[in-house]
Every structure is written in C-alpha cells, then in structure tokens.
Amino acid sequence: MADLRFSLQLQPVQWADGSLRLLDQRKLPAEETYLLFDNVPEAAQAITDMVVRGAPAIGITAAYAMVLSAQQHQSTADYQAKVKADMQTLAASRPTAVNLFWALAEMEKVLQQYESADWPTALLAKAVQIHEEDISANFRMGALGAELLQSGSRVLTHCNAGALATGGHGTALGVIRSAWQQNKITQVYADETRPWMQGARLTAWELLHDNIPVTLQCEGAAGHLMQQGLIDWVIVGSDRIAANGDVANKIGTYSLAVLARHHGVKFMVAAPTSTIDMQTLNGVDIPIENRDSQEVLACGGHALAASGADARNPAFDVTPADLVDFIVTEKGIIEAPTSAKMQSLLTA
Ligand code: MRU
C-alpha cells in the first residue's frame, strides 16, 4: 500500500503565529522555502506571481489574507474601508479561479455578520473552516473518483491538481492517490505543462514523495500515447466550472479532452463545489487569464525563443461539457454534465 504521509503533511498554505506562511512553489523542486506575509498587497502579489497557485489554494490564501488585513488595520482610522480595499486587491490578483472569489464572498459574509472589533477572530475562524473543509472535500472526491476506475488503469494528469494546489491532498491527485492505494492504477503519466512546468516540477515531486511512480512527457506526446493504447483515463482538476458543466482548467486541458474522446479514453474532472460558478452560464463567459509572453519566451530565467519572436500565453482553456465524462465533487458525481444535473447536485 502506498504511504501517503507526505501528502497529508504537505500544506502549501499555513497560518503560523498570526502570519500567512506560503511554500514558494516557484522554487520547487530545487528548494523548499516558505515565505511569511503580514499584509494583503504582498499576499496578493504572491498569488499573481505564482508563489501559491492552484484554484483551492488561491482561495484559502485569500481567506487568510483577509485576516491579515483586519489585524493590520484594526486600530487605524478608516479600518473598515481599508479592509474592503484589501478585498478588492485580492480579487484582482488572478481572474480565472473562481475559488478566489468564492472565498472572498465567504469572508465578506463574516464582515457583514460581525462587529468590526470582532473581525480578526471571526475571519480567522472562517479561514480555518474553509481550509479544513477543502481538505475533507479532497478526501471525499478521492474516494468517489477512485470508485470509477477499473483495476489496471493507466492515467494521465495535467498541470498540478495535488496537495500543492489545494488545502492538502489534492483533487485530481486525490483521486489518483486513493486509486493507487487500492491498487487500481498501474501507471501515472504527467504532462510537463508548459510554461510553468507544474507537472514536471510539482506533480512529479509530490507523487514521488508518496512513493507513487510517475512518467513525464511533454504535453504534445499525449495524442501519441493514446494512439498507442497506453492511457485509460485523463484525470484533471479545474479552476472554474460553469453552470452548464463547461470546465476551465490549465491550458492544454481542452486538447486532452478532444484527444480522449477521439481515442475512447475517459475524461474525469475532480473539483470541489467551491469551483462551481452557477452565475456563469457557460464556458464562453469564463474570464481566461493571459499572462506575460516572457513566460513562454523563456524558461527558468533562460531565454529560449529567437530574439524578436512574440508569444501568446493564455493560462487556461475551456473544455465543453460534452467532452467531460465525469465531474467528481465532494457532494457526488455527475456523469455527462448538463445544466440540470449541475443544478440538482448543488441543491441536493
Ligand atoms: O496556473 P495555476 O498553476 O494556478 O493553474 C492550476 C490549474 O490549472 C489546476 O489544474 C487547477 O487549479 C485545479 S487545482 C486543484
């Protein structure tokens, strides 16, 4: 049986002695460095700069950052206005992962429910709850998703939807961890995931620490692997799922879904309900982050491209619901998602 102690200990977002502590994911796997934050502008910048990344982890970070805001401004003039301005700063840190806006909305409810003198304590209690519930949701999704896999499955994952992208344990990697423990998986493939290399740097790092072997390939190899009959499942996370089941995730996910359908490979999305955005009716309306072209033109600080070349750098794409076989949430599984099925899962 796989030893999952590492994934249980690995918490990229921590609250320590009144400060926010983030594992600097830009430095992994070479260095395990933690950075401490005591104010919102720096925490928001850390989200933008990918110190912390992954939809649920970004939401949890924003929740703790709101506690920093209340602590910092508590005894100053315009306390309430400063806390609200900090909330706007956090909301502007990255556009696609709806968990960020969901967590801020949860924190705003606390601001409305409590006297401002009680905000630091009440906000911290809410942030801890959001964090703990995310970890429990991951374990539940892991168990549910693993039930769908047949013994001997070979799975392909993209980006990093693991402990590093969440409160702990992971969404897609939570499913892979559970299924691995049940001896249902014989092979895990991970796309390296240009341009930030989340697959090569982060997914491989955390799976190997749990003694789960992983084989990397550049994402352009996925079609070839499927054509060779080497993949049974694609399992990914999500940054935002629209009301009709369209799924935004790391750039390259849509290509995998098209390939999977062509080759008869099953396509599973594991995401907590905090990733579902019922206000966005379909994927066309999901805001897609476009990042700096330098991230494509260079890698790890080394220039790659011919000088003078331009680059496009969309960070996410949208997979239409009809290419998704299963959405696995902590509240249950939706097969072949539609608006009606999404609605009934959330209201059950
Ligand atoms: O740009 P990133 O690294 O924040 O993108 C992360 C992803 O696309 C993940 O797949 C997604 O957030 C799901 S994480 C459980």
Side-chain angles (χ1 to χ4, degrees):
M1 180 173 279
D3 178 355
L4 300 185
R5 264 175 299 184
F6 184 71
S7 85
L8 300 178
Q9 288 158 7
L10 178 58
Q11 296 208 342
V13 185
Q14 298 170 14
W15 184 256
D17 301 327
S19 294
L20 172 64
R21 194 166 176 258
L22 297 176
L23 175 58
D24 188 345
Q25 299 193 31
R26 300 167 305 180
K27 303 252 168 73
L28 289 171
E31 277 175 46
E32 276 176 59
T33 312
Y34 284 85
L35 302 176
L36 280 179
F37 297 87
D38 64 5
N39 65 77
V40 161
E42 288 177 9
Q45 195 61 46
I47 295 174
T48 305
D49 292 347
M50 310 277 283
V51 170
V52 61
R53 32 66 52 200
I58 293 170
I60 294 162
T61 300
Y64 284 125
M66 287 302 298
V67 186
L68 297 178
S69 176
Q71 285 180 174
Q72 187 192 1
H73 300 307
Q74 194 176 20
S75 36
T76 66
D78 300 327
Y79 168 36
Q80 300 191 10
K82 284 175 182 159
V83 170
K84 285 178 184 160
D86 274 346
M87 186 177 278
Q88 297 308 318
T89 302
L90 286 163
S93 60
R94 285 192 83 185
T96 304
V98 78
N99 307 62
L100 170 66
F101 308 100
W102 171 84
L104 290 175
E106 291 293 300
M107 302 311 269
E108 190 163 24
K109 284 183 210 159
V110 173
L111 297 180
Q112 282 159 7
Q113 276 164 10
Y114 289 85
E115 297 293 326
S116 56
D118 297 326
W119 282 356
T121 319
L123 288 170
L124 180 58
K126 189 68 190 177
V128 170
Q129 184 191 343
I130 287 172
H131 193 170
E132 287 175 351
E133 286 180 358
D134 184 67
I135 298 171
S136 321
N138 289 339
F139 277 95
R140 179 80 189 124
M141 283 184 271
L144 287 174
E147 279 175 24
L148 295 170
L149 268 64
Q150 60 282 25
S151 185
S153 290
R154 294 144 319 156
V155 307
L156 168 64
T157 190
H158 188 65
C159 192
N160 171 267
L164 289 166
T166 63
H169 196 62
T171 56
L173 293 193
V175 173
I176 289 172
R177 286 185 159 106
S178 297
W180 182 267
Q181 269 199 318
Q182 296 167 20
N183 291 319
K184 284 183 155 183
I185 292 183
T186 54
Q187 176 75 53
V188 181
Y189 292 99
D191 281 342
E192 61 180 4
T193 319
R194 281 277 294 151
W196 276 86
M197 310 297 274
Q198 289 96 332
R201 295 189 304 106
L202 308 178
T203 294
W205 182 75
E206 62 169 279
L207 287 180
L208 290 174
H209 270 89
D210 271 347
N211 296 313
I212 300 177
V214 58
T215 301
L216 288 169
Q217 71 285 326
C218 50
E219 43 261 55
H224 175 70
L225 295 185
M226 290 187 200
Q227 198 175 43
Q228 301 273 306
L230 296 175
I231 315 278
D232 302 299
W233 283 88
V234 173
I235 306 179
V236 294
S238 173
D239 288 81
R240 191 185 295 229
I241 303 176
N244 69 343
D246 289 352
V247 172
N249 192 46
K250 178 53 54 195
I251 192 75
T253 304
Y254 169 51
S255 317
L256 288 177
V258 173
L259 286 168
R261 183 57 55 90
H262 182 74
H263 291 286
V265 168
K266 292 287 176 204
F267 189 88
M268 182 197 301
V269 178
T273 49
S274 55
T275 301
I276 298 175
D277 175 9
M278 294 303 276
Q279 308 307 313
T280 298
L281 295 185
N282 61 60
V284 177
D285 295 328
I286 296 178
I288 298 295
E289 177 181 18
N290 281 296
R291 294 184 62 91
D292 195 321
S293 59
Q294 277 309 315
E295 293 177 355
V296 172
L297 297 171
C299 190
H302 299 287
L304 288 179
S307 171
D310 197 4
R312 287 183 82 113
N313 189 13
F316 302 96
D317 58 26
V318 174
T319 298
D322 62 4
L323 293 178
V324 176
D325 292 302
F326 298 98
I327 294 177
V328 176
T329 76
E330 79 282 13
K331 290 196 171 172
I333 296 173
I334 300 178
E335 184 169 1
T338 60
S339 302
K341 290 181 193 175
M342 297 285 295
Q343 185 69 44
S344 85
L345 176 94
L346 289 184
T347 49

